[in-house]
Amino acid sequence: QVHLVESGGGSVQTGDSLRLSCTASGGTADIFSVGWFRQAPGQEREFVASIGWNGRGRTYYKDSVEGRATISGDNANNVVYLQMDDVKPEDTGLYYCAALIWGEAHYRYWGQGTQVTVSS
């Protein structure tokens, strides 16, 4: 079992920066990668970024955040960050982190989410 807790969301203005945190606990040795997703009201959940767990280092980004978002990991503390710069109103949504387990094709474990609201 992997437990994920997000933090760092809030209300910001267009152009601001913020950093979201995802802290993992439990069976973290089973994690292959961690991803960030977001969901705006009335819309589908979408992928934002992902990173390989524990130093594997592969990163992927949604096209619309490429160059504005940076995903990174703190191995010692089992934390994955999503740094967001120059945020825009379309970045508004409930942000979730999720853990992909070795040998599986879909994210199994999800946090409760942290809200990001970007105003003009």
Side-chain angles (χ1 to χ4, degrees), residues 42-118:
Q43 300 183 357
E44 298 179 350
R45 182 178 296 175
E46 64 180 1
F47 170 83
V48 178
S50 66
I51 186 170
W53 181 254
N54 197 25
R56 285 180 286 276
R58 290 182 178 178
T59 58
Y60 299 91
Y61 296 94
K62 174 182 173 66
D63 288 345
S64 63
V65 305
E66 186 79 47
R68 298 188 297 115
T70 303
I71 189 169
S72 62
D74 178 351
N75 295 333
N77 295 295
N78 290 330
V79 179
V80 171
Y81 300 102
L82 181 66
Q83 175 73 34
M84 301 180 64
D85 299 315
D86 191 27
V87 296
K88 299 182 287 187
E90 54 261 44
D91 293 321
T92 292
L94 186 62
Y95 283 68
Y96 300 89
C97 65
L100 181 67
I101 302 302
W102 283 99
E104 299 184 358
H106 303 284
Y107 289 89
R108 176 188 291 265
Y109 300 105
W110 296 78
Q112 296 300 305
T114 185
Q115 179 68 37
V116 173
T117 302
V118 183

